[in-house]
Amino acid sequence: MFDIAQLAGVSEATVSRALSGSPLIAESTRMRVLQVARSANYQVNINARSLRQKRSRSIEVLIPLATRGRQHMSDPFYLDMLGALADALAARSYDLLLTKRAPWLDGVEKNSIQCGRADGIIIMGQGQDLEELDRFASMYPQIIVWGGHLPDHNYVVVGTDNVVGGKMATEHLMQVGRKRIAFLGDPAEPEIALRLEGYKRAHAENGMTLDESLIYKAPFDAREARIAAEATIEGGVRFDALFCASDVIAMSTVTALRRAEIRVPHDVAVVGYDDIRMSANFDPALTTISQQIQQGGETMVDLLLTIIDGGSASTTLLPPELIVRESTVA
Amino acid sequence: MFDIAQLAGVSEATVSRALSGSPLIAESTRMRVLQVARSANYQVNINARSLRQKRSRSIEVLIPLATRGRQHMSDPFYLDMLGALADALAARSYDLLLTKRAPWLDGVEKNSIQCGRADGIIIMGQGQDLEELDRFASMYPQIIVWGGHLPDHNYVVVGTDNVVGGKMATEHLMQVGRKRIAFLGDPAEPEIALRLEGYKRAHAENGMTLDESLIYKAPFDAREARIAAEATIEGGVRFDALFCASDVIAMSTVTALRRAEIRVPHDVAVVGYDDIRMSANFDPALTTISQQIQQGGETMVDLLLTIIDGGSASTTLLPPELIVRESTVA
């Protein structure tokens, strides 16, 4: 800073104020100081500070798409959650490092915690690599997983209670008088398996016979979900309601139903899951289960920083919320 | 590494192989080495390496939403572009630092280039802070902006040719026989202003009278766009075609039209912009202008790394592409 002051012909205090954007410094002075600082390759030494503190003040957010058959990144749910995480991290002066490749797929020395690029990792969905994730978490406790609450795992999970959410969606369809409720989603994903569990419980607890042939498999991707929905409808519908595992699947399904001249909700009532922004502006506006994305993002960040600071955190289930719109009530 | 070898009771070569995930090392040995390494707080010293190389090997991707009236982050266009950037950066061994707050809003010492957190910044859309952006770029040349090609600026822009795209969309509507083509979008955004320019040129070059009262303002957000579309329709439509400035606006508009019992494309043909993933799976499937997101992401990363390495780069326009689907042809 002394050198910069000399070169710019100002005091060190002025350099300090100019670099910190103080309003006390005239714009022309600030520009001169900045030019000198830049040409002198001056850096507020974040990397040196990180070394000293053994902290990067970065959190990695992993959307693990390199593993098999995952929710396509274009699902707006991810973007809403990324926005919530970006806000929560920025408010706590942490950077957000976005990655798409699961750390257990590479040599372990490459993961961001080990090499000091991040102080912890938020993993968006446990996906289907449950063993690899568990092994990774046993080595690196500084992780939080957004996903489903499974019985045995080494990591802290934050997510809505998917069983309750699935039950809520199904019971809403029963309450509006539907008798044959189908399910559309991929139970190979832990969260979807739990939503399906809720769907089954709703049947059991309400004395309604479960027809296993009404459980249809559909991937998260909009295009593939539409193809799955079309196959489901082919040759006539055998159901008067559909609980779809995501809003994207629900929208694709409504499109498929409409093309087959099946009216929503008159002939088939449809419930989605996630409450992405577009759901309220769809035709018909989608009934769905809200995942409390803002609160979920904040909770994940708070729990992760607690772990990083040496504290303990435990799996947290957020209450899902039923949002009733036009796709289930005329 | 010597200490870890001692503690784990193996050779230094074994430690090195274990940490780099070599298949030559038995899983049990690898686990033991990792446990020791972790308890010894060993870090492959990324921060030290960054200091030595004066490189962070991170690129900041800025979705500047803290400024006025921007495209809501929930627009899936951002997510598709983020995915493309994440792939392009990972392939070049760079980290992606995601931020939402424009660096010119804070004291300049906080920006990621100045303090060494990132080697450069990719800004998603120039937005409406054109002067601030220009001043920032004059101090930090290591930036690339996704956006519109404006006459005078200090930074390198990558984007589709929005004038050509707007002209393409409008001429397509003329070719399917439409006579009164409305425009829906917010020209305060540079890219939208250019699309509107293309819309005007299409009228001029095809000898079609432009009715300025058919230029309606609509924000990017799905909900607000639907409200704007509803206002446009109220009291009957005065047009037989609509060119919408984004696919999200187009989908919201189709919803509004359908509620008003106006048929798409029979009564009003609709063209969007972006070709987000959901557009092909909408009912009716949207005719739109593709923005070449994958290629755009790769181009931005390549040009930015060229600038960082001391080379020069210039503004690059990608050719837009018309994708014809059901919303304009029955």
Side-chain angles (χ1 to χ4, degrees):
Chain A
M1 215 171 269
F2 175 79
D3 296 337
I4 295 169
Q6 292 288 308
L7 288 164
V10 298
S11 71
E12 277 189 67
T14 301
V15 172
S16 171
R17 288 200 189 98
L19 292 176
S20 67
S22 163
L24 299 172
I25 303 298
E27 186 56 23
S28 60
T29 309
R30 198 171 70 84
M31 293 296 279
R32 192 165 76 249
V33 169
L34 285 171
Q35 294 288 355
V36 171
R38 262 192 53 219
S39 62
N41 228 337
Y42 172 81
Q43 288 194 339
V44 175
N45 223 325
I46 280 275
N47 294 315
R49 200 180 65 191
S50 295
L51 258 185
R52 220 162 43 231
Q53 298 178 342
K54 298 203 173 174
R55 283 287 175 88
S56 65
R57 288 202 82 85
S58 291
I59 298 297
E60 178 180 346
V61 175
L62 172 71
I63 301 186
L65 296 161
T67 56
R68 352 162 201 157
R70 302 301 306 280
Q71 189 165 13
H72 193 276
M73 190 167 165
S74 71
D75 194 311
F77 171 75
Y78 280 132
L79 197 49
D80 289 346
M81 185 53 96
L82 262 181
L85 288 171
D87 289 337
L89 287 168
R92 291 155 185 81
S93 301
Y94 271 80
D95 282 334
L96 190 167
L97 208 63
L98 180 69
T99 59
K100 287 174 70 180
R101 190 169 164 81
W104 50 87
L105 294 175
D106 294 308
V108 78
E109 94 288 5
K110 285 185 182 159
N111 86 67
S112 61
I113 299 175
Q114 178 64 21
C115 66
R117 291 208 312 278
D119 299 332
I121 307 180
I122 291 171
I123 299 177
M124 294 298 300
Q126 49 262 97
Q128 296 172 34
D129 292 349
L130 292 177
E131 275 179 42
E132 291 88 336
L133 170 57
D134 215 49
R135 196 149 50 116
F136 184 77
S138 71
M139 293 188 280
Y140 300 99
Q142 309 94 319
I143 70 171
I144 297 278
V145 176
W146 173 267
H149 189 185
L150 304 177
D152 293 306
H153 50 71
N154 280 323
Y155 44 83
V156 173
V157 173
V158 173
T160 45
D161 188 325
N162 287 284
V163 176
V164 168
K167 192 162 168 284
M168 222 173 223
T170 312
E171 286 180 342
H172 167 66
L173 289 167
M174 292 171 178
Q175 274 150 21
V176 296
R178 304 296 161 143
K179 303 293 179 199
R180 290 182 58 75
I181 302 168
F183 178 90
L184 199 60
D186 184 359
E189 290 284 332
E191 286 176 273
I192 306 312
L194 294 168
R195 290 170 202 169
L196 178 58
E197 174 62 27
Y199 161 89
K200 289 179 178 173
R201 277 199 208 165
H203 281 79
E205 290 180 18
N206 292 277
M208 207 142 150
T209 314
L210 184 77
D211 180 351
E212 294 272 354
S213 75
L214 293 182
I215 300 171
Y216 298 99
K217 190 171 163 145
F220 275 116
D221 177 71
R223 199 178 84 88
E224 291 168 50
R226 182 161 61 83
I227 292 166
E230 282 164 359
T232 303
I233 293 161
E234 215 173 0
V237 283
R238 302 168 44 239
F239 44 81
D240 57 12
L242 258 174
F243 169 31
C244 297
S246 79
D247 283 352
V248 169
I249 295 176
M251 289 189 226
S252 296
T253 300
V254 169
T255 298
L257 289 167
R258 182 177 278 142
R259 280 171 203 277
E261 293 181 1
I262 297 162
R263 292 161 298 171
V264 178
H266 188 274
D267 302 321
V268 174
V270 177
V271 182
Y273 209 101
D274 288 340
D275 196 27
I276 59 174
R277 197 156 174 88
M278 208 173 284
S279 302
N281 303 287
F282 194 68
D283 179 39
L286 272 190
T287 294
T288 188
I289 305 291
S290 165
Q291 292 237 57
Q292 319 257 24
I293 292 175
Q294 289 300 324
Q295 198 196 331
E298 296 238 342
T299 304
M300 285 197 281
V301 169
D302 284 336
L303 293 182
L304 183 54
L305 297 185
T306 302
I307 295 172
I308 291 168
D309 285 337
S312 69
S314 49
T315 287
T316 303
L317 288 182
L318 306 170
E321 191 188 347
L322 174 72
I323 314 280
V324 179
R325 299 200 187 99
E326 304 162 343
S327 66
T328 56
V329 287
Chain B
M1 214 173 267
F2 175 77
D3 296 335
I4 294 167
Q6 292 287 309
L7 288 164
V10 297
S11 71
E12 277 190 65
T14 300
V15 171
S16 169
R17 287 198 189 103
L19 291 175
S20 67
S22 162
L24 299 173
I25 302 299
E27 186 55 26
S28 59
T29 309
R30 197 171 69 85
M31 293 295 281
R32 192 165 74 245
V33 169
L34 286 171
Q35 293 289 357
V36 170
R38 262 192 54 220
S39 61
N41 229 338
Y42 173 82
Q43 288 193 339
V44 175
N45 222 325
I46 281 276
N47 294 315
R49 201 180 65 191
S50 296
L51 260 184
R52 223 164 40 234
Q53 298 179 344
K54 299 204 174 174
R55 284 288 175 86
S56 65
R57 288 203 82 86
S58 291
I59 298 298
E60 178 180 345
V61 175
L62 171 71
I63 301 186
L65 297 163
T67 55
R68 14 179 175 140
R70 304 301 308 278
Q71 188 164 12
H72 193 275
M73 190 166 167
S74 72
D75 195 311
F77 172 75
Y78 279 133
L79 196 50
D80 288 347
M81 185 53 97
L82 262 182
L85 289 170
D87 288 338
L89 287 168
R92 291 154 184 82
S93 300
Y94 271 80
D95 282 334
L96 189 167
L97 209 63
L98 180 69
T99 58
K100 286 173 72 179
R101 189 169 164 82
W104 50 87
L105 294 176
D106 295 307
V108 77
E109 96 289 4
K110 284 186 183 158
N111 86 66
S112 60
I113 298 174
Q114 179 64 20
C115 66
R117 290 208 313 279
D119 300 332
I121 306 180
I122 291 171
I123 298 176
M124 293 299 299
Q126 50 262 92
Q128 296 173 32
D129 292 347
L130 292 176
E131 275 179 42
E132 291 89 335
L133 171 57
D134 217 48
R135 195 152 50 118
F136 184 77
S138 71
M139 293 188 280
Y140 300 99
Q142 309 93 318
I143 70 170
I144 296 280
V145 176
W146 173 267
H149 190 185
L150 304 176
D152 293 305
H153 51 71
N154 279 323
Y155 44 84
V156 173
V157 173
V158 174
T160 44
D161 188 324
N162 287 285
V163 177
V164 168
K167 190 160 171 285
M168 224 173 222
T170 312
E171 287 181 341
H172 167 66
L173 289 167
M174 292 170 177
Q175 275 150 20
V176 296
R178 304 296 162 143
K179 303 293 178 200
R180 289 182 59 76
I181 302 168
F183 178 90
L184 198 60
D186 184 0
E189 290 285 330
E191 287 176 274
I192 306 311
L194 294 167
R195 290 171 202 169
L196 177 59
E197 173 63 27
Y199 161 90
K200 290 178 176 170
R201 276 200 207 164
H203 281 79
E205 291 181 18
N206 292 275
M208 207 142 150
T209 314
L210 184 77
D211 180 352
E212 295 270 355
S213 74
L214 293 182
I215 299 172
Y216 298 100
K217 190 170 164 145
F220 274 116
D221 177 70
R223 199 178 84 88
E224 290 167 52
R226 182 161 62 83
I227 292 166
E230 282 164 359
T232 304
I233 293 163
E234 214 171 1
V237 284
R238 302 169 42 240
F239 43 81
D240 57 10
L242 257 173
F243 168 31
C244 297
S246 79
D247 283 352
V248 169
I249 296 175
M251 289 190 228
S252 296
T253 301
V254 169
T255 296
L257 289 168
R258 182 177 279 142
R259 282 171 201 277
E261 293 182 2
I262 297 162
R263 291 161 299 173
V264 178
H266 188 273
D267 301 321
V268 174
V270 176
V271 182
Y273 209 100
D274 288 342
D275 196 25
I276 58 175
R277 198 158 174 85
M278 208 173 285
S279 301
N281 302 288
F282 193 68
D283 179 37
L286 273 189
T287 293
T288 188
I289 305 290
S290 165
Q291 291 237 57
Q292 319 256 26
I293 293 177
Q294 288 300 322
Q295 199 195 330
E298 297 238 342
T299 304
M300 285 197 280
V301 169
D302 284 337
L303 293 182
L304 182 54
L305 297 186
T306 300
I307 295 171
I308 290 168
D309 285 337
S312 68
S314 50
T315 286
T316 303
L317 288 182
L318 305 170
E321 192 188 346
L322 174 71
I323 313 281
V324 179
R325 299 202 187 98
E326 303 162 345
S327 66
T328 55
V329 287

